[in-house]
Coordinates of all heavy atoms in Angstrom, one line a residue:
L1 N -0.4 8.9 11.5 CA 0.3 9.8 10.6 C -0.3 9.7 9.2 O -0.4 10.8 8.5 CB 1.8 9.4 10.6 CG 2.7 10.3 9.7 CD1 2.6 11.7 10.2 CD2 4.1 9.8 9.8
A2 N -0.7 8.5 8.7 CA -1.2 8.4 7.3 C -2.5 9.3 7.1 O -2.7 9.8 6.0 CB -1.5 7.0 7.0
S3 N -3.2 9.5 8.2 CA -4.5 10.3 8.1 C -4.2 11.7 7.8 O -5.1 12.5 7.5 CB -5.3 10.1 9.3 OG -4.7 10.7 10.4
R4 N -2.9 12.2 8.0 CA -2.6 13.6 7.9 C -1.7 13.8 6.7 O -1.2 15.0 6.5 CB -1.8 14.0 9.2 CG -2.8 13.8 10.4 CD -2.0 14.0 11.7 NE -1.5 15.4 11.8 CZ -0.6 15.7 12.7 NH1 -0.2 14.8 13.6 NH2 -0.2 16.9 12.8
C5 N -1.5 12.8 5.8 CA -0.6 13.0 4.7 C -1.3 12.7 3.4 O -2.1 11.8 3.3 CB 0.6 12.0 4.8 SG 1.5 12.3 6.3
D6 N -1.0 13.5 2.3 CA -1.5 13.2 1.0 C -0.6 12.2 0.2 O -1.0 11.5 -0.7 CB -1.6 14.5 0.2 CG -2.7 15.4 0.8 OD1 -3.7 14.9 1.3 OD2 -2.4 16.6 0.7
V7 N 0.7 12.3 0.5 CA 1.7 11.4 -0.1 C 2.5 10.7 1.0 O 2.9 11.3 2.0 CB 2.7 12.2 -1.0 CG1 3.7 11.3 -1.6 CG2 1.9 13.0 -2.1
I8 N 2.6 9.4 0.9 CA 3.3 8.6 1.9 C 4.3 7.8 1.1 O 4.0 7.1 0.1 CB 2.3 7.6 2.6 CG1 1.2 8.4 3.3 CG2 3.0 6.6 3.5 CD1 0.0 7.7 3.6
I9 N 5.6 7.8 1.6 CA 6.6 7.0 1.0 C 7.1 5.9 2.0 O 7.3 6.2 3.1 CB 7.8 8.0 0.7 CG1 7.4 9.1 -0.3 CG2 9.0 7.1 0.1 CD1 8.5 10.1 -0.5
T10 N 7.1 4.7 1.4 CA 7.5 3.6 2.3 C 8.9 3.1 1.7 O 9.1 3.1 0.5 CB 6.5 2.4 2.3 OG1 6.3 2.0 0.9 CG2 5.2 2.9 2.9
C11 N 9.7 2.7 2.6 CA 11.0 2.1 2.2 C 11.4 1.2 3.3 O 11.9 1.6 4.4 CB 12.1 3.2 2.0 SG 13.6 2.5 1.3
V12 N 11.2 -0.1 3.2 CA 11.5 -1.1 4.2 C 12.4 -2.2 3.6 O 12.8 -2.1 2.4 CB 10.3 -1.7 4.9 CG1 9.6 -0.6 5.7 CG2 9.3 -2.3 3.9
T13 N 12.6 -3.3 4.3 CA 13.7 -4.2 3.8 C 13.2 -5.3 2.9 O 14.0 -5.8 2.1 CB 14.3 -4.9 5.1 OG1 13.2 -5.5 5.9 CG2 15.0 -3.9 5.9
A14 N 12.0 -5.7 2.9 CA 11.6 -6.9 2.1 C 10.1 -6.9 1.9 O 9.3 -6.2 2.6 CB 12.0 -8.2 2.8
P15 N 9.6 -7.7 0.9 CA 8.1 -7.7 0.6 C 7.2 -8.0 1.8 O 6.2 -7.2 2.0 CB 8.0 -8.8 -0.4 CG 9.3 -8.8 -1.1 CD 10.3 -8.5 -0.1
P16 N 7.5 -8.9 2.7 CA 6.7 -9.1 3.9 C 6.6 -7.8 4.8 O 5.5 -7.5 5.4 CB 7.3 -10.2 4.7 CG 8.1 -11.0 3.7 CD 8.6 -9.9 2.7
D17 N 7.7 -7.1 4.8 CA 7.7 -5.8 5.6 C 6.9 -4.8 5.0 O 6.2 -4.0 5.7 CB 9.2 -5.4 5.8 CG 10.0 -6.4 6.5 OD1 9.5 -7.0 7.4 OD2 11.2 -6.6 6.1
V18 N 6.9 -4.7 3.6 CA 6.0 -3.8 2.9 C 4.6 -4.1 3.2 O 3.8 -3.2 3.6 CB 6.2 -3.9 1.4 CG1 5.2 -3.0 0.6 CG2 7.7 -3.5 1.0
E19 N 4.2 -5.3 3.1 CA 2.8 -5.7 3.4 C 2.4 -5.3 4.8 O 1.3 -4.8 5.1 CB 2.6 -7.2 3.1 CG 2.6 -7.5 1.6 CD 2.5 -8.9 1.3 OE1 2.8 -9.8 2.1 OE2 2.0 -9.2 0.2
D20 N 3.3 -5.6 5.8 CA 3.0 -5.2 7.1 C 2.9 -3.7 7.3 O 1.9 -3.3 8.0 CB 4.0 -5.8 8.1 CG 3.7 -5.7 9.5 OD1 2.5 -6.0 9.9 OD2 4.5 -5.2 10.3
A21 N 3.8 -3.0 6.7 CA 3.8 -1.5 6.9 C 2.5 -0.9 6.3 O 2.0 0.1 6.8 CB 5.0 -0.9 6.3
V22 N 2.0 -1.5 5.2 CA 0.9 -0.9 4.5 C -0.4 -1.6 5.0 O -1.4 -0.9 5.3 CB 1.0 -1.0 3.0 CG1 -0.2 -0.5 2.3 CG2 2.3 -0.2 2.6
L23 N -0.5 -2.9 5.0 CA -1.7 -3.6 5.3 C -1.8 -4.2 6.7 O -2.9 -4.7 7.1 CB -1.8 -4.8 4.3 CG -1.7 -4.4 2.8 CD1 -1.9 -5.7 2.0 CD2 -2.8 -3.4 2.4
G24 N -0.8 -4.1 7.5 CA -0.8 -4.7 8.8 C -1.8 -4.0 9.8 O -2.4 -3.0 9.4
S25 N -1.9 -4.5 11.0 CA -2.9 -4.0 11.9 C -2.6 -2.6 12.3 O -3.5 -1.8 12.8 CB -3.0 -4.9 13.2 OG -1.7 -5.0 13.8
H26 N -1.4 -2.1 12.2 CA -1.0 -0.7 12.5 C -0.5 -0.1 11.2 O 0.2 1.0 11.3 CB 0.1 -0.7 13.6 CG -0.4 -1.2 14.9 ND1 -1.3 -0.6 15.7 CD2 -0.1 -2.4 15.5 CE1 -1.5 -1.3 16.8 NE2 -0.8 -2.4 16.7
G27 N -0.8 -0.6 10.1 CA -0.3 -0.1 8.8 C -1.0 1.1 8.3 O -2.1 1.5 8.8
V28 N -0.5 1.6 7.2 CA -1.0 2.8 6.5 C -2.5 2.7 6.2 O -3.2 3.6 6.3 CB -0.1 3.1 5.3 CG1 -0.7 4.2 4.4 CG2 1.3 3.4 5.7
R29 N -2.9 1.5 5.7 CA -4.3 1.3 5.2 C -5.3 1.6 6.3 O -6.4 2.1 6.0 CB -4.5 -0.1 4.8 CG -5.9 -0.4 4.4 CD -6.2 -1.9 4.0 NE -5.8 -2.8 5.1 CZ -6.2 -4.0 5.1 NH1 -6.8 -4.6 4.1 NH2 -5.8 -4.8 6.1
Q30 N -4.9 1.5 7.6 CA -5.9 1.7 8.6 C -6.4 3.1 8.7 O -7.5 3.4 9.1 CB -5.2 1.3 10.0 CG -4.7 -0.1 10.1 CD -5.8 -1.1 9.7 OE1 -7.0 -1.0 10.1 NE2 -5.5 -2.1 8.9
S31 N -5.6 4.1 8.3 CA -6.0 5.5 8.4 C -5.7 6.4 7.2 O -6.0 7.6 7.2 CB -5.4 6.1 9.7 OG -4.0 6.1 9.5
V32 N -5.3 5.8 6.1 CA -5.0 6.6 4.9 C -6.2 7.2 4.4 O -7.3 6.6 4.4 CB -4.2 5.7 3.9 CG1 -5.2 4.6 3.3 CG2 -3.7 6.6 2.7
R33 N -6.1 8.4 3.9 CA -7.3 9.1 3.4 C -7.5 8.8 1.9 O -6.5 8.6 1.1 CB -7.1 10.6 3.5 CG -7.0 11.1 4.8 CD -6.9 12.6 4.9 NE -5.8 13.2 4.0 CZ -5.1 14.2 4.3 NH1 -5.3 14.9 5.4 NH2 -4.2 14.6 3.4
P34 N -8.8 8.7 1.5 CA -9.0 8.6 0.0 C -8.4 9.7 -0.8 O -8.3 10.8 -0.3 CB -10.6 8.7 0.0 CG -11.0 8.3 1.3 CD -10.0 8.8 2.3
G35 N -7.8 9.3 -1.9 CA -7.2 10.3 -2.8 C -5.7 10.4 -2.5 O -5.0 11.1 -3.2
S36 N -5.2 9.7 -1.5 CA -3.8 9.8 -1.2 C -3.0 8.9 -2.1 O -3.5 8.1 -2.9 CB -3.5 9.2 0.3 OG -4.1 10.0 1.2
L37 N -1.7 9.2 -2.1 CA -0.7 8.4 -3.0 C 0.3 7.8 -2.1 O 0.9 8.5 -1.3 CB -0.1 9.4 -4.0 CG 1.1 8.8 -4.8 CD1 0.5 7.7 -5.8 CD2 1.8 9.9 -5.6
I38 N 0.6 6.5 -2.3 CA 1.7 5.8 -1.7 C 2.8 5.6 -2.7 O 2.5 5.0 -3.8 CB 1.2 4.5 -1.0 CG1 0.2 4.8 0.1 CG2 2.4 3.7 -0.4 CD1 -0.4 3.6 0.7
I39 N 4.0 6.0 -2.4 CA 5.1 5.7 -3.2 C 5.9 4.6 -2.5 O 6.5 4.9 -1.4 CB 6.0 7.0 -3.5 CG1 5.1 8.0 -4.1 CG2 7.2 6.6 -4.3 CD1 5.7 9.4 -4.2
E40 N 6.0 3.5 -3.1 CA 6.6 2.3 -2.4 C 8.0 2.1 -3.0 O 8.2 1.8 -4.2 CB 5.7 1.1 -2.6 CG 5.8 0.1 -1.5 CD 7.2 -0.4 -1.2 OE1 7.7 -1.2 -2.0 OE2 7.8 0.0 -0.2
T41 N 9.1 2.4 -2.2 CA 10.4 2.4 -2.7 C 11.2 1.2 -2.4 O 12.4 1.1 -2.8 CB 11.2 3.7 -2.3 OG1 11.3 3.6 -0.8 CG2 10.5 4.9 -2.7
T42 N 10.6 0.2 -1.7 CA 11.3 -1.0 -1.4 C 11.6 -1.8 -2.7 O 10.7 -1.8 -3.5 CB 10.5 -1.8 -0.4 OG1 10.2 -1.1 0.7 CG2 11.2 -3.1 0.0
T43 N 12.7 -2.5 -2.8 CA 12.9 -3.4 -3.9 C 12.1 -4.7 -3.5 O 12.5 -5.4 -2.6 CB 14.4 -3.8 -4.1 OG1 15.1 -2.6 -4.3 CG2 14.5 -4.8 -5.2
S44 N 10.9 -4.8 -4.1 CA 9.9 -5.8 -3.7 C 9.6 -6.7 -4.9 O 10.5 -6.9 -5.7 CB 8.7 -5.1 -3.2 OG 7.8 -6.0 -2.6
T45 N 8.4 -7.2 -4.9 CA 8.0 -8.1 -6.0 C 6.8 -7.5 -6.7 O 6.0 -6.8 -6.1 CB 7.7 -9.5 -5.6 OG1 6.5 -9.4 -4.7 CG2 8.8 -10.1 -4.8
P46 N 6.6 -7.8 -8.0 CA 5.4 -7.3 -8.7 C 4.1 -7.8 -8.0 O 3.2 -7.1 -7.9 CB 5.6 -7.9 -10.1 CG 7.0 -8.0 -10.3 CD 7.6 -8.4 -8.9
A47 N 4.1 -9.0 -7.5 CA 2.9 -9.6 -6.9 C 2.6 -8.8 -5.6 O 1.4 -8.5 -5.4 CB 3.2 -11.1 -6.6
T48 N 3.6 -8.4 -4.9 CA 3.3 -7.6 -3.7 C 2.7 -6.3 -4.0 O 1.7 -5.9 -3.4 CB 4.6 -7.4 -2.9 OG1 5.2 -8.7 -2.5 CG2 4.4 -6.6 -1.6
T49 N 3.3 -5.6 -5.0 CA 2.8 -4.3 -5.4 C 1.4 -4.4 -5.9 O 0.5 -3.6 -5.6 CB 3.7 -3.7 -6.4 OG1 5.0 -3.6 -5.9 CG2 3.3 -2.3 -6.8
R50 N 1.1 -5.4 -6.7 CA -0.2 -5.6 -7.3 C -1.2 -5.9 -6.2 O -2.4 -5.4 -6.2 CB -0.3 -6.8 -8.3 CG 0.4 -6.4 -9.6 CD 0.2 -7.6 -10.6 NE 1.1 -7.4 -11.7 CZ 2.2 -8.1 -12.0 NH1 2.5 -9.1 -11.2 NH2 3.0 -7.8 -13.0
N51 N -0.8 -6.7 -5.2 CA -1.7 -6.9 -4.0 C -2.0 -5.6 -3.3 O -3.2 -5.3 -2.9 CB -1.1 -8.0 -3.1 CG -2.0 -8.3 -1.9 OD1 -3.2 -8.5 -2.1 ND2 -1.4 -8.2 -0.7
L52 N -1.0 -4.8 -3.0 CA -1.2 -3.6 -2.3 C -2.1 -2.7 -3.1 O -3.1 -2.1 -2.6 CB 0.1 -2.8 -2.1 CG 1.1 -3.5 -1.2 CD1 2.4 -2.7 -1.2 CD2 0.6 -3.6 0.2
A53 N -1.9 -2.6 -4.4 CA -2.7 -1.7 -5.3 C -4.2 -2.2 -5.3 O -5.1 -1.4 -5.2 CB -2.2 -1.8 -6.7
S54 N -4.4 -3.5 -5.3 CA -5.8 -4.0 -5.3 C -6.5 -3.7 -4.0 O -7.6 -3.2 -4.0 CB -5.7 -5.5 -5.4 OG -7.0 -6.1 -5.3
V55 N -5.8 -3.9 -2.9 CA -6.4 -3.6 -1.6 C -6.6 -2.1 -1.4 O -7.7 -1.6 -1.0 CB -5.5 -4.1 -0.4 CG1 -6.0 -3.6 0.9 CG2 -5.5 -5.6 -0.5
L56 N -5.7 -1.3 -1.8 CA -5.8 0.2 -1.7 C -6.8 0.8 -2.6 O -7.4 1.9 -2.3 CB -4.4 0.8 -1.9 CG -3.3 0.5 -0.8 CD1 -2.0 0.9 -1.3 CD2 -3.7 1.1 0.5
A57 N -7.0 0.2 -3.7 CA -8.0 0.7 -4.7 C -9.4 0.8 -4.0 O -10.2 1.8 -4.3 CB -8.1 -0.1 -5.9
S58 N -9.7 -0.1 -3.1 CA -11.0 0.0 -2.4 C -11.1 1.2 -1.5 O -12.2 1.6 -1.1 CB -11.2 -1.3 -1.6 OG -10.3 -1.4 -0.5
K59 N -10.0 1.8 -1.2 CA -10.0 3.1 -0.4 C -9.7 4.3 -1.2 O -9.5 5.4 -0.7 CB -9.0 2.9 0.7 CG -9.3 1.9 1.8 CD -8.5 2.0 3.0 CE -9.2 3.0 3.9 NZ -8.8 3.0 5.3
N60 N -9.7 4.1 -2.6 CA -9.4 5.2 -3.5 C -8.0 5.8 -3.2 O -7.8 7.0 -3.2 CB -10.5 6.3 -3.5 CG -10.3 7.2 -4.6 OD1 -9.9 6.9 -5.7 ND2 -10.7 8.5 -4.4
V61 N -7.1 4.9 -3.0 CA -5.7 5.3 -2.8 C -4.8 4.6 -3.9 O -5.0 3.5 -4.2 CB -5.2 4.8 -1.4 CG1 -3.7 5.0 -1.2 CG2 -6.0 5.4 -0.3
E62 N -4.0 5.4 -4.5 CA -3.1 5.0 -5.6 C -1.7 4.6 -5.0 O -1.3 5.1 -4.0 CB -2.9 6.1 -6.6 CG -4.1 6.4 -7.4 CD -4.5 5.4 -8.5 OE1 -3.6 4.6 -8.9 OE2 -5.6 5.3 -8.9
I63 N -1.0 3.7 -5.7 CA 0.3 3.3 -5.3 C 1.2 3.4 -6.6 O 0.8 3.1 -7.7 CB 0.4 1.9 -4.7 CG1 1.8 1.6 -4.2 CG2 -0.1 0.9 -5.7 CD1 1.9 0.4 -3.3
V64 N 2.4 3.9 -6.4 CA 3.4 3.9 -7.4 C 4.5 3.0 -6.9 O 5.0 3.2 -5.8 CB 4.0 5.3 -7.6 CG1 5.2 5.3 -8.5 CG2 2.9 6.2 -8.2
D65 N 4.9 2.1 -7.7 CA 6.0 1.2 -7.4 C 7.3 1.9 -7.9 O 7.5 2.2 -9.1 CB 5.9 -0.1 -8.1 CG 6.9 -1.2 -7.8 OD1 7.6 -1.0 -6.7 OD2 7.1 -2.1 -8.6
A66 N 8.2 2.3 -6.9 CA 9.3 3.1 -7.3 C 10.6 2.6 -6.5 O 11.1 3.3 -5.7 CB 9.1 4.6 -6.9
P67 N 11.0 1.4 -6.8 CA 12.2 0.8 -6.1 C 13.4 1.7 -6.3 O 13.7 2.2 -7.4 CB 12.3 -0.6 -6.7 CG 11.7 -0.5 -8.0 CD 10.6 0.5 -7.9
V68 N 14.2 1.8 -5.3 CA 15.5 2.4 -5.3 C 16.6 1.4 -5.6 O 16.6 0.3 -5.0 CB 15.8 3.1 -3.9 CG1 17.1 3.8 -3.9 CG2 14.7 4.2 -3.7
S69 N 17.5 1.7 -6.5 CA 18.5 0.8 -6.8 C 19.9 1.4 -6.7 O 20.1 2.6 -6.6 CB 18.3 0.2 -8.2 OG 18.6 1.1 -9.1
R70 N 20.9 0.5 -6.7 CA 22.3 0.8 -6.7 C 23.0 0.8 -5.4 O 24.2 1.0 -5.3 CB 22.6 2.1 -7.5 CG 22.1 2.1 -8.9 CD 22.5 3.2 -9.8 NE 24.0 3.3 -9.9 CZ 24.6 4.4 -10.0 NH1 24.0 5.5 -10.0 NH2 25.9 4.4 -10.1
G71 N 22.3 0.6 -4.3 CA 22.8 0.3 -3.0 C 23.5 1.4 -2.2 O 23.4 2.6 -2.6
V72 N 24.2 1.0 -1.2 CA 24.8 2.0 -0.2 C 25.8 2.9 -0.9 O 25.8 4.1 -0.6 CB 25.4 1.2 1.0 CG1 26.2 2.1 1.9 CG2 24.3 0.5 1.8
P73 N 26.7 2.4 -1.7 CA 27.7 3.3 -2.3 C 27.0 4.4 -3.1 O 27.5 5.6 -3.0 CB 28.5 2.4 -3.2 CG 28.4 1.0 -2.6 CD 27.0 1.0 -2.1
A74 N 26.0 4.1 -3.8 CA 25.3 5.1 -4.6 C 24.6 6.1 -3.7 O 24.5 7.3 -3.9 CB 24.3 4.5 -5.6
A75 N 24.1 5.6 -2.6 CA 23.4 6.5 -1.6 C 24.4 7.5 -1.0 O 24.2 8.7 -0.9 CB 22.7 5.7 -0.5
E76 N 25.6 6.9 -0.7 CA 26.6 7.8 -0.1 C 27.1 8.8 -1.1 O 27.5 9.9 -0.7 CB 27.8 6.9 0.3 CG 27.4 6.1 1.6 CD 28.5 5.0 1.9 OE1 29.4 4.7 1.1 OE2 28.4 4.5 3.1
N77 N 27.1 8.5 -2.4 CA 27.5 9.4 -3.4 C 26.4 10.3 -4.0 O 26.7 11.1 -4.9 CB 28.2 8.6 -4.6 CG 29.5 8.0 -4.1 OD1 30.3 8.6 -3.4 ND2 29.8 6.8 -4.6
G78 N 25.2 10.1 -3.6 CA 24.1 10.8 -4.1 C 23.7 10.5 -5.5 O 23.2 11.3 -6.3
T79 N 23.9 9.2 -5.9 CA 23.6 8.8 -7.3 C 22.7 7.6 -7.3 O 22.8 6.7 -8.3 CB 24.9 8.4 -8.0 OG1 25.6 7.3 -7.3 CG2 25.9 9.6 -8.1
L80 N 21.8 7.5 -6.4 CA 20.8 6.4 -6.4 C 19.9 6.5 -7.7 O 19.7 7.6 -8.2 CB 19.9 6.4 -5.2 CG 20.5 6.0 -3.9 CD1 19.5 6.3 -2.8 CD2 20.9 4.6 -3.9
S81 N 19.3 5.4 -8.1 CA 18.4 5.4 -9.2 C 17.0 5.0 -8.7 O 16.9 4.1 -7.8 CB 18.8 4.5 -10.3 OG 20.0 4.9 -10.9
I82 N 16.0 5.6 -9.2 CA 14.6 5.2 -8.8 C 13.8 5.0 -10.1 O 13.8 5.8 -11.0 CB 13.9 6.3 -8.0 CG1 14.7 6.6 -6.7 CG2 12.4 5.9 -7.7 CD1 14.1 7.7 -5.9
M83 N 13.3 3.8 -10.2 CA 12.4 3.4 -11.3 C 11.0 3.5 -10.8 O 10.7 3.2 -9.7 CB 12.7 2.0 -11.8 CG 14.2 1.8 -12.2 SD 14.8 0.1 -12.0 CE 15.1 0.1 -10.2
A84 N 10.1 4.0 -11.7 CA 8.7 4.2 -11.2 C 7.7 3.5 -12.2 O 7.9 3.6 -13.4 CB 8.4 5.7 -11.1
G85 N 6.7 2.9 -11.6 CA 5.6 2.3 -12.4 C 4.3 2.4 -11.6 O 4.3 2.3 -10.4
G86 N 3.3 2.7 -12.4 CA 2.0 2.9 -11.7 C 1.0 3.4 -12.7 O 1.2 3.4 -13.9
N87 N -0.2 3.8 -12.2 CA -1.2 4.3 -13.1 C -0.7 5.6 -13.8 O -0.1 6.5 -13.1 CB -2.4 4.7 -12.2 CG -3.6 5.2 -12.9 OD1 -3.5 5.8 -14.0 ND2 -4.8 5.0 -12.4
Q88 N -0.9 5.7 -15.1 CA -0.3 6.8 -15.8 C -0.8 8.2 -15.3 O -0.1 9.2 -15.3 CB -0.7 6.7 -17.3 CG 0.0 7.8 -18.1 CD 0.3 7.4 -19.5 OE1 0.3 6.3 -19.9 NE2 0.4 8.4 -20.3
D89 N -2.1 8.2 -14.8 CA -2.6 9.5 -14.2 C -1.7 9.9 -13.0 O -1.6 11.1 -12.7 CB -4.0 9.4 -13.8 CG -4.9 9.2 -15.0 OD1 -4.6 9.5 -16.1 OD2 -6.1 8.7 -14.8

């Protein structure tokens, strides 16, 4: 699927799951196209995001760290918050 998308959004449960979804043997990295953008919405760690960015840079893929906050009640009410950080370009 990653080979057919310009933008990929990930949202999983924890940092190890993010790494597996992106860098694992069946992860996004295996087939992502150069120039693609990954928007990572898991509430993860800065170290995990930096590691992903470092690995993905070798494939000319950008990542935006965009964790979703405020939990299930906000999701049910349509009031989630998303913070974003990444390369300014």
